[in-house]
Amino acid sequence: MLNIDSIKNGIVIDHIKAGLGIHIFKYLGLDRADYNVALIKNAESNKLGRKDIIKIENIIELNYDVLGLIDSNITINIIEDEVITKKIKLNLPEEVVNIIKCKNPRCVTSIEPNIKHIFYLVDKQKGEYRCLYCDEAYSNMEV
Amino acid sequence: MLKGRHLIDPMDFTTSELDEIFSLAEKIIEDEGRFKDACRGKLLATLFYEPSTRTRFSFEAAMLRLGGSVIGFSEPNSSSVAKGESIRDTIRTISCYADIAVMRHPKEGAPKLASMYSSIPVINAGDGGHQHPTQTLTDLLTIKCLKGQFSNLTIGLCGDLKFGRTVHSLIKATSRYENNRFVLISPKELRVPDYIRKEVLDKNNIQYVEVERLEDVIGELDILYMTRIQRERFFNEEEYLRLKDSYILDMDKVNRAKEDMIIMHPLPRVNEIDYEVDEDKRACYFKQAKYGMYVRMALIMKLLGVEENA
Protein backbone atom coordinates (compact mmCIF):
# COMPACT_ATOMS: atom_id res chain seq x y z
CA MET A 1 0.00 0.00 0.00
CA LEU A 2 1.21 3.44 -0.98
CA ASN A 3 2.15 5.62 1.97
CA ILE A 4 0.53 9.03 2.04
CA ASP A 5 0.90 11.33 5.03
CA SER A 6 -2.22 11.69 7.12
CA ILE A 7 -3.65 15.16 7.12
CA LYS A 8 -3.94 17.59 10.00
CA ASN A 9 -6.83 19.78 8.94
CA GLY A 10 -8.76 19.01 5.80
CA ILE A 11 -11.01 16.60 3.96
CA VAL A 12 -10.77 12.98 2.89
CA ILE A 13 -13.18 11.91 0.15
CA ASP A 14 -13.34 8.15 0.50
CA HIS A 15 -15.06 5.18 -1.18
CA ILE A 16 -15.00 6.78 -4.63
CA LYS A 17 -15.74 4.24 -7.34
CA ALA A 18 -12.41 3.35 -8.97
CA GLY A 19 -11.92 5.54 -12.03
CA LEU A 20 -14.15 8.41 -10.91
CA GLY A 21 -11.51 9.98 -8.61
CA ILE A 22 -9.81 11.87 -11.43
CA HIS A 23 -13.14 13.43 -12.50
CA ILE A 24 -13.90 14.62 -8.97
CA PHE A 25 -10.30 15.84 -8.60
CA LYS A 26 -10.69 17.98 -11.72
CA TYR A 27 -14.24 19.09 -10.85
CA LEU A 28 -12.97 20.41 -7.50
CA GLY A 29 -10.14 22.23 -9.27
CA LEU A 30 -7.55 20.34 -7.21
CA ASP A 31 -5.21 20.13 -10.19
CA ARG A 32 -4.65 23.85 -9.64
CA ALA A 33 -4.43 23.69 -5.82
CA ASP A 34 -1.52 25.38 -4.03
CA TYR A 35 -1.96 23.23 -0.89
CA ASN A 36 -1.30 19.52 -0.32
CA VAL A 37 -3.63 17.24 -2.22
CA ALA A 38 -3.43 13.55 -3.09
CA LEU A 39 -5.41 11.42 -5.50
CA ILE A 40 -5.05 7.74 -4.75
CA LYS A 41 -6.29 5.49 -7.50
CA ASN A 42 -7.24 1.82 -7.24
CA ALA A 43 -6.69 1.48 -3.50
CA GLU A 44 -7.80 -1.84 -2.00
CA SER A 45 -11.27 -1.79 -0.50
CA ASN A 46 -13.18 -4.50 1.35
CA LYS A 47 -16.47 -3.00 0.23
CA LEU A 48 -15.70 -2.03 -3.36
CA GLY A 49 -12.71 -4.20 -4.29
CA ARG A 50 -10.94 -1.12 -5.67
CA LYS A 51 -11.62 2.49 -4.84
CA ASP A 52 -10.22 5.98 -5.33
CA ILE A 53 -9.49 8.37 -2.44
CA ILE A 54 -8.83 12.11 -2.44
CA LYS A 55 -7.03 13.78 0.45
CA ILE A 56 -7.09 17.55 0.75
CA GLU A 57 -4.99 19.43 3.30
CA ASN A 58 -7.43 22.33 3.41
CA ILE A 59 -11.10 22.97 4.22
CA ILE A 60 -12.78 23.77 0.93
CA GLU A 61 -16.45 24.19 0.08
CA LEU A 62 -18.00 21.06 -1.39
CA ASN A 63 -21.29 20.78 -3.28
CA TYR A 64 -22.68 17.53 -1.88
CA ASP A 65 -25.40 17.43 -4.58
CA VAL A 66 -22.83 17.32 -7.36
CA LEU A 67 -20.64 14.78 -5.56
CA GLY A 68 -23.69 12.64 -4.70
CA LEU A 69 -24.72 12.77 -8.33
CA ILE A 70 -21.30 11.65 -9.55
CA ASP A 71 -21.07 8.83 -6.98
CA SER A 72 -23.66 8.33 -4.26
CA ASN A 73 -21.42 5.83 -2.37
CA ILE A 74 -18.85 8.47 -1.44
CA THR A 75 -18.02 9.16 2.22
CA ILE A 76 -16.61 12.54 3.21
CA ASN A 77 -14.47 12.80 6.35
CA ILE A 78 -13.75 16.19 7.85
CA ILE A 79 -10.42 16.15 9.72
CA GLU A 80 -9.52 18.58 12.49
CA ASP A 81 -6.24 18.22 14.41
CA GLU A 82 -5.75 14.79 12.80
CA VAL A 83 -9.10 13.55 14.12
CA ILE A 84 -12.20 12.77 12.07
CA THR A 85 -14.75 15.21 13.46
CA LYS A 86 -17.49 14.65 10.89
CA LYS A 87 -18.42 11.80 8.57
CA ILE A 88 -20.85 12.53 5.76
CA LYS A 89 -22.46 9.77 3.72
CA LEU A 90 -23.72 11.00 0.38
CA ASN A 91 -26.93 10.07 -1.41
CA LEU A 92 -28.40 10.75 -4.82
CA PRO A 93 -30.03 14.17 -4.40
CA GLU A 94 -33.82 14.28 -4.89
CA GLU A 95 -33.49 17.43 -6.98
CA VAL A 96 -30.55 18.98 -8.76
CA VAL A 97 -30.51 22.60 -9.84
CA ASN A 98 -28.20 24.01 -12.51
CA ILE A 99 -25.91 20.97 -12.48
CA ILE A 100 -27.25 19.00 -15.45
CA LYS A 101 -28.29 20.99 -18.52
CA CYS A 102 -31.24 19.73 -20.53
CA LYS A 103 -30.08 18.63 -23.96
CA ASN A 104 -33.55 18.36 -25.49
CA PRO A 105 -33.64 21.05 -28.22
CA ARG A 106 -37.45 21.16 -27.92
CA CYS A 107 -37.30 21.96 -24.17
CA VAL A 108 -38.30 25.44 -22.97
CA THR A 109 -34.87 25.70 -21.32
CA SER A 110 -33.42 26.16 -24.82
CA ILE A 111 -35.17 29.53 -25.29
CA GLU A 112 -36.03 31.06 -21.91
CA PRO A 113 -33.28 33.39 -20.61
CA ASN A 114 -31.74 32.72 -17.16
CA ILE A 115 -33.89 29.67 -16.52
CA LYS A 116 -32.95 27.23 -13.76
CA HIS A 117 -32.25 23.75 -15.13
CA ILE A 118 -34.04 21.52 -12.63
CA PHE A 119 -33.93 17.72 -12.62
CA TYR A 120 -35.74 15.42 -10.21
CA LEU A 121 -34.89 11.86 -9.21
CA VAL A 122 -37.30 9.26 -10.62
CA ASP A 123 -35.41 5.99 -10.08
CA LYS A 124 -32.92 5.70 -7.24
CA GLN A 125 -31.72 2.25 -8.33
CA LYS A 126 -30.92 3.32 -11.88
CA GLY A 127 -29.89 6.85 -10.88
CA GLU A 128 -32.42 8.22 -13.35
CA TYR A 129 -33.41 11.88 -13.41
CA ARG A 130 -35.97 13.78 -15.48
CA CYS A 131 -36.08 17.40 -16.58
CA LEU A 132 -38.77 19.21 -14.59
CA TYR A 133 -40.04 20.92 -17.74
CA CYS A 134 -39.89 18.42 -20.60
CA ASP A 135 -39.38 15.07 -18.77
CA GLU A 136 -36.26 14.24 -20.79
CA ALA A 137 -34.50 11.39 -18.96
CA TYR A 138 -30.88 11.48 -17.79
CA SER A 139 -28.77 9.00 -15.93
CA ASN A 140 -26.39 10.20 -13.21
CA MET A 141 -23.70 8.31 -15.13
CA GLU A 142 -23.94 10.98 -17.84
CA VAL A 143 -22.92 13.75 -15.44
CA MET B 1 -59.74 20.86 -3.88
CA LEU B 2 -59.16 22.03 -7.43
CA LYS B 3 -59.53 25.77 -6.85
CA GLY B 4 -56.34 27.64 -7.73
CA ARG B 5 -54.60 24.55 -9.15
CA HIS B 6 -52.79 24.30 -12.49
CA LEU B 7 -53.31 21.58 -15.09
CA ILE B 8 -50.00 20.86 -16.80
CA ASP B 9 -49.80 17.06 -17.05
CA PRO B 10 -52.78 14.72 -17.65
CA MET B 11 -51.81 12.88 -14.47
CA ASP B 12 -51.83 16.01 -12.27
CA PHE B 13 -55.28 15.14 -10.92
CA THR B 14 -56.28 12.03 -9.01
CA THR B 15 -59.11 9.87 -10.34
CA SER B 16 -61.44 11.28 -7.70
CA GLU B 17 -60.54 14.85 -8.70
CA LEU B 18 -61.25 13.89 -12.31
CA ASP B 19 -64.60 12.47 -11.20
CA GLU B 20 -65.45 15.88 -9.71
CA ILE B 21 -64.78 17.51 -13.09
CA PHE B 22 -66.70 14.87 -15.05
CA SER B 23 -69.75 14.99 -12.80
CA LEU B 24 -69.87 18.79 -13.16
CA ALA B 25 -69.47 18.39 -16.95
CA GLU B 26 -72.42 16.00 -16.96
CA LYS B 27 -74.52 18.53 -15.06
CA ILE B 28 -73.58 21.16 -17.65
CA ILE B 29 -74.55 18.80 -20.50
CA GLU B 30 -77.88 18.12 -18.79
CA ASP B 31 -78.82 21.77 -18.29
CA GLU B 32 -76.36 24.17 -19.85
CA GLY B 33 -78.60 27.19 -19.28
CA ARG B 34 -78.13 26.88 -15.53
CA PHE B 35 -74.43 27.74 -15.95
CA LYS B 36 -74.69 30.66 -18.38
CA ASP B 37 -73.61 33.16 -15.73
CA ALA B 38 -71.31 30.92 -13.69
CA CYS B 39 -68.18 32.88 -14.72
CA ARG B 40 -69.73 36.32 -15.12
CA GLY B 41 -67.02 38.92 -14.37
CA LYS B 42 -64.17 36.43 -14.81
CA LEU B 43 -61.49 36.78 -17.46
CA LEU B 44 -59.71 33.97 -19.33
CA ALA B 45 -56.37 34.76 -21.05
CA THR B 46 -55.50 32.60 -24.05
CA LEU B 47 -51.75 32.66 -24.70
CA PHE B 48 -51.26 30.81 -27.97
CA TYR B 49 -47.65 30.89 -29.11
CA GLU B 50 -48.52 28.72 -32.10
CA PRO B 51 -51.71 28.49 -34.11
CA SER B 52 -54.43 26.11 -32.94
CA THR B 53 -57.89 27.15 -34.00
CA ARG B 54 -59.64 24.11 -32.58
CA THR B 55 -58.30 24.11 -29.02
CA ARG B 56 -58.43 27.90 -28.75
CA PHE B 57 -62.02 28.06 -29.97
CA SER B 58 -62.98 25.27 -27.58
CA PHE B 59 -61.57 27.20 -24.60
CA GLU B 60 -63.03 30.50 -25.75
CA ALA B 61 -66.45 28.97 -26.40
CA ALA B 62 -66.31 27.30 -22.97
CA MET B 63 -65.58 30.59 -21.17
CA LEU B 64 -68.12 32.60 -23.18
CA ARG B 65 -70.85 30.02 -22.56
CA LEU B 66 -70.16 30.39 -18.83
CA GLY B 67 -70.74 34.15 -19.11
CA GLY B 68 -67.04 35.02 -18.76
CA SER B 69 -64.80 37.06 -21.05
CA VAL B 70 -61.67 36.25 -23.03
CA ILE B 71 -58.47 38.17 -23.89
CA GLY B 72 -55.30 36.87 -25.51
CA PHE B 73 -53.24 36.33 -28.62
CA SER B 74 -53.35 33.57 -31.17
CA GLU B 75 -49.85 33.90 -32.55
CA PRO B 76 -46.79 35.39 -30.84
CA ASN B 77 -46.02 37.97 -33.54
CA SER B 78 -49.00 40.02 -32.43
CA SER B 79 -47.83 40.23 -28.82
CA SER B 80 -44.97 41.51 -26.68
CA VAL B 81 -43.40 38.09 -27.20
CA ALA B 82 -42.28 39.38 -30.60
CA LYS B 83 -40.18 41.96 -28.69
CA GLY B 84 -38.45 39.12 -26.88
CA GLU B 85 -40.40 39.03 -23.62
CA SER B 86 -39.72 35.95 -21.52
CA ILE B 87 -42.46 33.47 -20.60
CA ARG B 88 -41.98 34.37 -16.93
CA ASP B 89 -42.54 38.07 -17.53
CA THR B 90 -45.53 37.42 -19.80
CA ILE B 91 -47.34 35.23 -17.27
CA ARG B 92 -46.55 37.57 -14.36
CA THR B 93 -48.09 40.45 -16.31
CA ILE B 94 -51.10 38.44 -17.47
CA SER B 95 -51.65 37.33 -13.85
CA CYS B 96 -52.35 40.99 -13.06
CA TYR B 97 -55.17 41.17 -15.60
CA ALA B 98 -56.85 37.77 -15.90
CA ASP B 99 -58.30 35.18 -13.52
CA ILE B 100 -57.12 32.09 -15.40
CA ALA B 101 -54.72 31.44 -18.31
CA VAL B 102 -54.52 28.86 -21.06
CA MET B 103 -51.19 28.39 -22.81
CA ARG B 104 -50.13 26.61 -25.97
CA HIS B 105 -46.44 26.73 -26.81
CA PRO B 106 -44.20 24.89 -29.28
CA LYS B 107 -41.55 24.33 -26.59
CA GLU B 108 -41.95 21.44 -24.15
CA GLY B 109 -42.41 22.54 -20.56
CA ALA B 110 -43.35 26.17 -21.33
CA PRO B 111 -46.71 25.96 -19.47
CA LYS B 112 -44.93 24.25 -16.55
CA LEU B 113 -42.50 27.15 -16.38
CA ALA B 114 -45.40 29.63 -16.59
CA SER B 115 -47.23 27.86 -13.75
CA MET B 116 -44.18 28.28 -11.50
CA TYR B 117 -44.36 32.07 -11.81
CA SER B 118 -48.13 32.55 -12.10
CA SER B 119 -50.52 33.69 -9.40
CA ILE B 120 -53.53 32.45 -11.42
CA PRO B 121 -54.31 28.89 -12.60
CA VAL B 122 -52.48 27.89 -15.80
CA ILE B 123 -53.90 25.26 -18.14
CA ASN B 124 -51.58 23.56 -20.61
CA ALA B 125 -53.27 23.58 -24.02
CA GLY B 126 -50.41 21.66 -25.64
CA ASP B 127 -46.63 22.06 -25.34
CA GLY B 128 -45.00 20.72 -28.49
CA GLY B 129 -45.12 16.95 -28.63
CA HIS B 130 -45.12 16.73 -24.84
CA GLN B 131 -48.52 17.02 -23.10
CA HIS B 132 -52.06 18.02 -23.99
CA PRO B 133 -54.03 17.30 -20.81
CA THR B 134 -57.38 18.81 -21.83
CA GLN B 135 -57.45 16.45 -24.83
CA THR B 136 -57.15 13.60 -22.31
CA LEU B 137 -60.00 15.06 -20.24
CA THR B 138 -62.03 15.30 -23.46
CA ASP B 139 -61.32 11.66 -24.30
CA LEU B 140 -62.20 10.49 -20.81
CA LEU B 141 -65.48 12.42 -20.67
CA THR B 142 -66.40 10.99 -24.09
CA ILE B 143 -65.75 7.47 -22.80
CA LYS B 144 -67.70 8.14 -19.60
CA CYS B 145 -70.72 9.55 -21.43
CA LEU B 146 -70.80 7.02 -24.26
CA LYS B 147 -69.58 3.82 -22.58
CA GLY B 148 -70.72 4.62 -19.03
CA GLN B 149 -67.52 3.34 -17.44
CA PHE B 150 -63.72 3.56 -17.46
CA SER B 151 -63.10 -0.12 -16.59
CA ASN B 152 -63.37 -3.51 -18.35
CA LEU B 153 -62.84 -2.01 -21.80
CA THR B 154 -60.87 -3.21 -24.81
CA ILE B 155 -59.33 -0.05 -26.19
CA GLY B 156 -57.82 -0.04 -29.67
CA LEU B 157 -55.41 2.74 -30.57
CA CYS B 158 -54.58 3.03 -34.24
CA GLY B 159 -52.15 5.05 -36.35
CA ASP B 160 -49.13 7.00 -35.16
CA LEU B 161 -48.58 5.60 -31.68
CA LYS B 162 -44.97 6.73 -31.52
CA PHE B 163 -45.33 10.50 -31.71
CA GLY B 164 -49.02 10.83 -30.82
CA ARG B 165 -49.03 12.49 -27.40
CA THR B 166 -52.81 12.10 -27.08
CA VAL B 167 -52.37 8.34 -27.35
CA HIS B 168 -49.67 8.20 -24.67
CA SER B 169 -51.75 10.29 -22.28
CA LEU B 170 -54.87 8.23 -22.91
CA ILE B 171 -53.00 4.98 -22.22
CA LYS B 172 -51.63 6.42 -18.96
CA ALA B 173 -55.01 7.80 -17.91
CA THR B 174 -57.06 4.67 -18.67
CA SER B 175 -54.37 2.45 -17.12
CA ARG B 176 -55.43 3.84 -13.74
CA TYR B 177 -58.77 2.02 -14.03
CA GLU B 178 -59.34 -1.71 -13.60
CA ASN B 179 -59.22 -4.46 -16.16
CA ASN B 180 -58.71 -2.48 -19.36
CA ARG B 181 -56.97 -4.14 -22.29
CA PHE B 182 -55.12 -2.33 -25.06
CA VAL B 183 -54.83 -3.28 -28.71
CA LEU B 184 -52.05 -1.18 -30.22
CA ILE B 185 -52.41 -1.01 -34.00
CA SER B 186 -49.59 0.67 -35.92
CA PRO B 187 -46.83 0.16 -38.45
CA LYS B 188 -43.68 -1.19 -36.77
CA GLU B 189 -41.98 2.18 -37.29
CA LEU B 190 -44.65 4.04 -35.33
CA ARG B 191 -45.21 1.77 -32.32
CA VAL B 192 -45.62 3.20 -28.80
CA PRO B 193 -42.32 4.30 -27.24
CA ASP B 194 -40.50 1.92 -24.93
CA TYR B 195 -41.25 3.94 -21.82
CA ILE B 196 -45.01 3.51 -22.32
CA ARG B 197 -44.55 -0.24 -22.73
CA LYS B 198 -42.21 -0.62 -19.75
CA GLU B 199 -43.22 2.11 -17.30
CA VAL B 200 -46.98 2.06 -17.85
CA LEU B 201 -48.15 -1.23 -19.35
CA ASP B 202 -45.63 -3.83 -18.10
CA LYS B 203 -45.15 -2.14 -14.72
CA ASN B 204 -48.90 -2.25 -13.98
CA ASN B 205 -49.44 -5.73 -15.47
CA ILE B 206 -51.80 -4.39 -18.07
CA GLN B 207 -52.80 -6.65 -20.94
CA TYR B 208 -51.88 -5.40 -24.39
CA VAL B 209 -51.11 -6.65 -27.87
CA GLU B 210 -49.29 -4.91 -30.71
CA VAL B 211 -50.59 -5.64 -34.19
CA GLU B 212 -50.21 -4.18 -37.66
CA ARG B 213 -53.60 -4.73 -39.29
CA LEU B 214 -56.73 -2.97 -38.05
CA GLU B 215 -59.15 -5.32 -39.84
CA ASP B 216 -57.83 -8.34 -37.88
CA VAL B 217 -58.73 -6.90 -34.48
CA ILE B 218 -61.53 -4.38 -34.98
CA GLY B 219 -64.17 -6.96 -33.95
CA GLU B 220 -62.72 -7.18 -30.41
CA LEU B 221 -62.80 -3.48 -29.62
CA ASP B 222 -65.12 -1.45 -27.38
CA ILE B 223 -63.34 1.76 -28.37
CA LEU B 224 -61.34 2.54 -31.50
CA TYR B 225 -59.16 5.62 -31.13
CA MET B 226 -57.87 6.73 -34.53
CA THR B 227 -54.98 9.15 -34.94
CA ARG B 228 -53.51 11.11 -37.77
CA ILE B 229 -50.04 10.32 -39.01
CA GLN B 230 -48.69 13.86 -38.88
CA ARG B 231 -46.58 14.99 -41.79
CA GLU B 232 -44.38 17.17 -39.59
CA ARG B 233 -43.32 14.20 -37.46
CA PHE B 234 -41.48 12.58 -40.33
CA PHE B 235 -37.88 13.23 -41.15
CA ASN B 236 -38.39 12.76 -44.87
CA GLU B 237 -41.18 12.92 -47.41
CA GLU B 238 -40.59 9.38 -48.70
CA GLU B 239 -41.21 7.87 -45.28
CA TYR B 240 -44.39 9.93 -44.90
CA LEU B 241 -45.77 8.86 -48.27
CA ARG B 242 -45.00 5.21 -47.55
CA LEU B 243 -46.93 5.17 -44.27
CA LYS B 244 -49.64 7.81 -44.48
CA ASP B 245 -52.31 5.61 -46.03
CA SER B 246 -51.55 2.52 -43.94
CA TYR B 247 -54.48 2.89 -41.64
CA ILE B 248 -57.59 4.24 -43.24
CA LEU B 249 -60.89 3.41 -41.57
CA ASP B 250 -63.67 2.75 -44.08
CA MET B 251 -67.09 1.07 -43.88
CA ASP B 252 -65.62 -2.32 -44.87
CA LYS B 253 -63.65 -2.29 -41.65
CA VAL B 254 -66.38 -0.65 -39.53
CA ASN B 255 -68.84 -3.40 -40.59
CA ARG B 256 -66.65 -5.94 -38.78
CA ALA B 257 -66.86 -4.00 -35.51
CA LYS B 258 -69.23 -4.47 -32.57
CA GLU B 259 -72.50 -2.58 -32.85
CA ASP B 260 -71.71 -0.55 -29.74
CA MET B 261 -68.06 0.17 -30.46
CA ILE B 262 -67.28 3.89 -30.46
CA ILE B 263 -64.87 5.53 -32.91
CA MET B 264 -62.89 8.42 -31.45
CA HIS B 265 -60.38 10.82 -33.03
CA PRO B 266 -58.69 13.92 -31.56
CA LEU B 267 -59.22 15.78 -34.90
CA PRO B 268 -58.33 17.24 -37.30
CA ARG B 269 -58.42 14.22 -39.58
CA VAL B 270 -56.71 14.08 -42.93
CA ASN B 271 -57.73 10.88 -44.66
CA GLU B 272 -57.51 8.25 -41.92
CA ILE B 273 -61.30 8.05 -41.53
CA ASP B 274 -63.33 7.85 -44.73
CA TYR B 275 -66.15 10.42 -44.88
CA GLU B 276 -68.71 7.62 -45.35
CA VAL B 277 -67.96 6.51 -41.77
CA ASP B 278 -69.26 9.85 -40.43
CA GLU B 279 -72.84 8.69 -40.98
CA ASP B 280 -72.38 5.49 -38.95
CA LYS B 281 -73.75 5.57 -35.39
CA ARG B 282 -70.36 4.40 -34.10
CA ALA B 283 -68.63 7.58 -35.33
CA CYS B 284 -68.30 9.77 -32.22
CA TYR B 285 -65.48 12.18 -33.08
CA PHE B 286 -67.68 15.24 -33.53
CA LYS B 287 -69.54 14.47 -30.30
CA GLN B 288 -66.08 14.15 -28.77
CA ALA B 289 -65.26 17.73 -29.84
CA LYS B 290 -68.44 18.88 -28.08
CA TYR B 291 -67.53 16.94 -24.95
CA GLY B 292 -64.18 18.77 -25.16
CA MET B 293 -65.93 22.09 -24.75
CA TYR B 294 -68.08 20.80 -21.86
CA VAL B 295 -65.11 19.36 -20.01
CA ARG B 296 -63.24 22.67 -20.44
CA MET B 297 -66.28 24.50 -19.02
CA ALA B 298 -66.20 22.22 -15.98
CA LEU B 299 -62.42 22.55 -15.65
CA ILE B 300 -62.51 26.37 -15.78
CA MET B 301 -65.24 26.44 -13.13
CA LYS B 302 -63.36 24.05 -10.84
CA LEU B 303 -60.01 25.87 -11.13
CA LEU B 304 -61.69 29.22 -10.54
CA GLY B 305 -63.67 27.75 -7.67
CA VAL B 306 -66.92 29.30 -8.84
CA GLU B 307 -70.11 27.93 -7.34
CA GLU B 308 -72.04 25.45 -9.44
CA ASN B 309 -75.29 27.28 -8.93
CA ALA B 310 -73.86 30.78 -9.32
Side-chain angles (χ1 to χ4, degrees), chain A residues 89-137:
Chain A
K89 183 89 192 69
L90 295 187
N91 285 307
L92 279 176
E94 289 295 325
E95 187 181 88
V96 289
V97 181
N98 288 339
I99 296 170
I100 313 171
K101 281 211 160 188
C102 188
K103 284 185 277 186
N104 175 7
R106 299 177 306 277
C107 179
V108 68
T109 53
S110 67
I111 55 150
E112 182 79 356
N114 303 314
I115 190 172
K116 281 182 186 166
H117 287 247
I118 305 171
F119 282 78
Y120 60 97
L121 182 63
V122 286
D123 191 326
K124 214 171 181 174
Q125 299 270 297
K126 292 185 202 155
E128 190 178 290
Y129 284 82
R130 281 190 193 271
C131 171
L132 178 73
Y133 308 102
C134 73
D135 289 314
E136 183 86 349

